[in-house]
Every structure is written in structure tokens, then in C-alpha cells.
Amino acid sequence: MHPSLPTGYSEVTLNVSRVSTRHTRLDTIKSHIQRPMQKLDTRRDAVRGFSPAWFTASMGTGMAGMLLYGFPYDWTPLRYIAMGIALLNLLMFIMFLVLFSWRIVQYRDFHHILLHPQMSMSLGTIPMALCTIIISLARILEPYEVQWMPMLVLVLWCIDVVFSVLSFLIIPFLVTSHQDHPFDKVNASLLLPVVTTVVAATAGAFVASVNNGSTATAVVLISYMLWAMGVGIAMMLVTFYLTRLIIHKLPPKETIASTFIPVGPLGQSSYGIQLLGIQAKRLFPDALPQIPYLGDVLYAMGFFLGVLIWALAIWWITHGIYAVIYTRIRGRVPFNLGWWALIFPTGTFASSSGELWGTTGYTFFGVLTAITTVGIILLWIFVIINTICYAWTGELLKPINIKHLELHTDADDFINSGEQTPERLV
């Protein structure tokens, strides 16, 4: 008699359901805002669960600021935005350093971190995050001719080199002597403690650019050594990781963002060798006159090697895009700190492209840099907003096996316990 009645009732029911769902989401958001760290047993767990992986957020934020500051198509407001992001990165780095130091001092578990097969890899992110600050200071303050800036960045760079080399030498040894890394569980985070010297070499080029004389020459020579150390081992590990992918296929969806990590050593190597070539051409004719044409040769080599390594990075960045899309099609990818692995590595590729554009003047490189930069900035906004939200609830600060650490001191038991949380991913 009333054929439209059931349909009407169905529509009303659907609308009520939508309103109810909307109210539930609003109530959930309100609850999260009013009850920070609700996912933690106690507020102290926020310190105990603070992982060095958080410094990847500083790396990504610093990279976002540097890319905006060097955007190919100059627009003054972008530079001020980049300065704001650089300041945010500085504050983030200081906050992370305080929290991580607090954890180490209060819980005295640094030896556990060193022996942990995932958390130890993230220790390399600390000097790399510092490098983003050094580069930002050198680039942003140079036009203002701040007198104390060259000495400041030089001192910070020397500190960074010490920690980069320690990461490069100690952590890979622990990987081969103490830690357990089953081949099917290996991910690209093995590159993190190794690529520190490559990033330090790139920062050294910026430090040399604001200094002169023997100081700048010494910085460039040391940077070349750091670059060679890091690139050699990184290439070996990239090959090792590709072998793992061929045999055991893509990593789990929780760590799928790590497929972008190999882009980092390649993009940074390309960017760094180009910058060092520029400084060699500027300094070596006067500093090393006994070796004629050394500066010009290194400049040409820097450009040539930069192009070759940049081309190799294209394969890895394409593979990473395919891997993420393929994994997303097959199911939802949960958010975790590993998402920051999407920012810094792709940023190094954009930086290298920008340097090639500056050298050649080819429009292709300029357009590619601009497109990549816009994509990275949008991704950075998405990741940092989600990071803030998940950190507010305490989801990203859950301690790894905290009870086990309190009851046992045997590092091997801790490593083999098998309990992991989202913070392990980078």
C-alpha cells in the first residue's frame, strides 16, 4: 500500500547512522584532546618510550625547510616560511635531545639501545638531524653576514662529524657481532648508521662555503673522506637489501615506507659530491697550487658522478612508489614513525635535482625539483599532523617491553624478546 515507506525508513536509518557515527568520531576526538597520553599506563612512560627514531621527524622537517628555501622559482614568502620551518626544526631537535638524554640518564638503558637490532639503527638519525640544522644556519644566515655564524656552524659540524663517525664505526660492528638480524626480517634501516658520514660531508660543503683559507680547505678534504667512507659501505648495503627484497619480497605493511630509505644515500651522495666539487674549484687553486687543475677536475667529477648516482636513485624512488601503492591497494597501512622515511630520502633526490638544475640550467631539472618539492611539502604536512595526533594520545610513545627491561639486565634476552611497537620502524 505504501511502497515507498521501506525506502524512506531505510534512508532515515542511514542518516541516523551517519549522524551517530559523526558524533562518535567527535566524541573520540574530544576525548583524545582532553586526555593526553591516554594510551600510556603512566606519564613517565612517555620518557621511557622515547626512541631515537623521533629524530627522523627532525630530519624530515629540516629537509622540508631546506627545499622550500631553495625552491627553483624564487618567491619571497617561501623563504620566510622556510625560515619558520627551520626554527621549528631547531626547537624539535632540542626537545628530542632533552627527552632522549632524560631517558638515558633516568633509566640507564643506553647499552640496551645499542644492542637492540632496530633502535640502534635510529641512533644514526641524531647526527643527521643536526646536519639539517647546520645547513639551514649556513644557508639562511649567510646573506645577513652574521659574524659569528661561520664559527658556529664549524663547531657544530665538528661535533656532528665525531658522532657521525662513531655511528658509522660502532653500530655496524654491533650488527655483525652482537645483534640478531634474520635475513628475511632485514630492512633498509641498516643504512641509517652508515649514511651519517655522507650527510656530514654534504653539511661540510656548506660549512666550507661560509669559511675561507686553510679552514675551508681542511673541511672540504675531510668531507671528501667522509663521503667516500659512507658511499662505499652504503652501496654494499643497498645491494644486500635488494637481494633480500628479491628473495623475501616486500617488507610488511607496517614497514613499507622503509623501501624509500635507499633513496637517501643515493640522493645525498649525488648532492654532496656536486657541492664538494664547487668548493674544490673555489679553494684548491690557491690552497693546493702544486696540483694543477685539481679544483677543475674535482668539479667536473662531482657533476659527472652526481648525474650517475642521481640516475640510480630514480630506480629506487620509482620502486618505493610502486611498493607503497601496491601495499595500500592490498590493505590499510597503519601510521607510525616509519612514515618519516618518506620525507628525508626523497628530499635528497629533490636537492640533487636542484643542484643539477643550477649547474646545467636545464628546465627539466628545475621543473622536476619544483614538482618533487611540492609533493614532499604536502606529504610533510600530512605526516607531521598525524605524528602530533598520535603522540598526543601516547600511541607513538609506548615503551618497548618496559617490564622486561626493569626485571632483567641481560641484553640478549631483551633483544630476543620479540615484542615491538610502532616506534621500531625507523
Side-chain angles (χ1 to χ4, degrees):
M1 218 174 147
H2 301 284
S4 62
L5 196 57
T7 303
Y9 279 142
S10 177
E11 291 177 355
V12 170
T13 303
L14 182 60
N15 289 334
V16 170
S17 176
R18 287 175 177 172
V19 172
S20 176
T21 302
R22 205 170 293 145
H23 280 299
T24 302
R25 289 176 179 172
L26 290 174
D27 291 340
T28 302
I29 294 172
K30 185 177 179 181
S31 173
H32 288 338
I33 294 175
Q34 293 176 345
R35 296 175 55 205
M37 305 297 168
Q38 60 180 287
K39 297 294 183 69
L40 301 178
D41 294 334
T42 65
R43 297 290 177 88
R44 289 193 311 163
D45 287 355
V47 176
R48 184 49 183 261
F50 191 84
S51 162
W54 277 92
F55 285 92
T56 58
S58 177
M59 290 172 60
T61 302
M63 178 58 72
M66 290 187 293
L67 289 176
L68 272 186
Y69 193 82
F71 195 74
Y73 305 102
D74 194 22
W75 187 43
T76 303
L78 281 182
R79 291 186 175 266
Y80 291 111
I81 295 172
M83 291 179 186
I85 295 175
L87 178 60
L88 173 63
N89 180 39
L90 177 61
L91 296 176
M92 288 171 63
F93 181 83
I94 293 172
M95 180 178 67
F96 295 162
L97 194 61
V98 168
L99 288 173
F100 187 56
S101 301
W102 184 1
R103 170 189 172 152
I104 292 174
V105 172
Q106 182 169 352
Y107 296 100
R108 301 178 183 179
D109 62 348
F110 186 67
H111 60 292
H112 287 301
I113 295 174
L114 276 177
L115 296 176
H116 192 276
Q118 292 300 330
M119 292 183 69
S120 61
M121 301 299 108
S122 299
L123 290 172
T125 63
I126 301 175
M128 287 192 284
L130 179 57
C131 278
T132 64
I133 294 173
I134 294 170
I135 295 172
S136 296
L137 287 173
R139 295 184 69 180
I140 293 174
L141 296 182
E142 184 180 15
Y144 298 97
E145 298 182 353
V146 180
Q147 293 183 352
W148 45 263
M149 185 268 292
M151 181 57 66
L152 173 63
V153 295
L154 178 62
V155 172
L156 290 176
W157 182 75
C158 290
I159 295 172
D160 184 83
V161 167
V162 171
F163 284 99
S164 296
V165 172
L166 287 175
S167 170
F168 177 82
L169 295 177
I170 294 175
I171 297 178
F173 173 74
L174 294 176
V175 169
T176 61
S177 62
H178 290 74
Q179 299 175 3
D180 184 21
H181 290 267
F183 189 51
D184 61 323
K185 303 296 183 184
V186 166
N187 63 46
S189 63
L190 279 175
L191 288 161
L192 293 177
V194 171
V195 76
T196 53
T197 56
V198 180
V199 180
T202 304
F206 283 99
V207 173
S209 69
V210 296
N211 284 276
N212 293 293
S214 59
T215 299
T217 303
V219 169
V220 171
L221 289 174
I222 293 171
S223 295
Y224 268 113
M225 288 185 275
L226 292 171
W227 186 89
M229 290 166 59
V231 170
I233 303 299
M235 291 298 184
M236 299 177 196
L237 289 176
V238 167
T239 304
F240 175 73
Y241 179 60
L242 179 59
T243 306
R244 177 251 177 259
L245 289 177
I246 293 172
I247 297 174
H248 296 289
K249 308 311 173 188
L250 295 175
K253 61 182 180 180
E254 292 82 5
T255 58
I256 194 62
S258 65
T259 54
F260 276 89
I261 292 179
V263 180
L266 300 173
Q268 196 71 21
S269 300
S270 173
Y271 186 42
I273 198 65
Q274 293 179 73
L275 294 176
L276 288 174
I278 293 171
Q279 294 307 313
K281 184 177 181 179
R282 178 176 74 93
L283 296 168
F284 285 1
D286 295 329
L288 298 170
Q290 64 272 33
I291 310 177
Y293 309 111
L294 177 61
D296 291 331
V297 169
L298 291 176
Y299 176 76
M301 287 180 60
F303 170 74
F304 183 66
L305 288 174
V307 172
L308 295 183
I309 301 174
W310 175 87
L312 180 58
I314 292 177
W315 188 91
W316 277 103
I317 201 169
T318 305
H319 177 271
I321 294 171
Y322 288 164
V324 170
I325 294 175
Y326 175 77
T327 304
R328 179 63 184 88
I329 292 174
R330 293 166 63 90
R332 181 178 174 272
V333 179
F335 183 82
N336 49 59
L337 286 179
W339 283 51
W340 283 101
L342 300 169
I343 309 295
F344 188 85
T346 52
T348 64
F349 177 79
S351 299
S352 177
S353 302
E355 193 60 36
L356 290 173
W357 173 71
T359 302
T360 63
Y362 291 165
T363 305
F364 167 76
F365 290 117
V367 172
L368 178 63
T369 304
I371 293 173
T372 310
T373 298
V374 171
I376 291 171
I377 296 301
L378 293 176
L379 185 59
W380 172 75
I381 293 172
F382 173 80
V383 173
I384 197 170
I385 289 174
N386 277 275
T387 300
I388 293 171
C389 294
Y390 280 90
W392 183 263
T393 64
E395 181 67 34
L396 296 180
L397 292 166
K398 291 179 180 178
I400 292 181
N401 208 10
I402 183 170
K403 292 182 180 179
H404 185 88
L405 282 178
E406 290 174 347
L407 295 174
H408 300 278
T409 58
D410 183 31
D412 290 330
D413 287 345
F414 168 55
I415 292 171
N416 296 323
S417 62
E419 294 191 19
Q420 296 175 322
T421 63
E423 68 177 10
R424 75 191 186 283
L425 298 172
V426 173

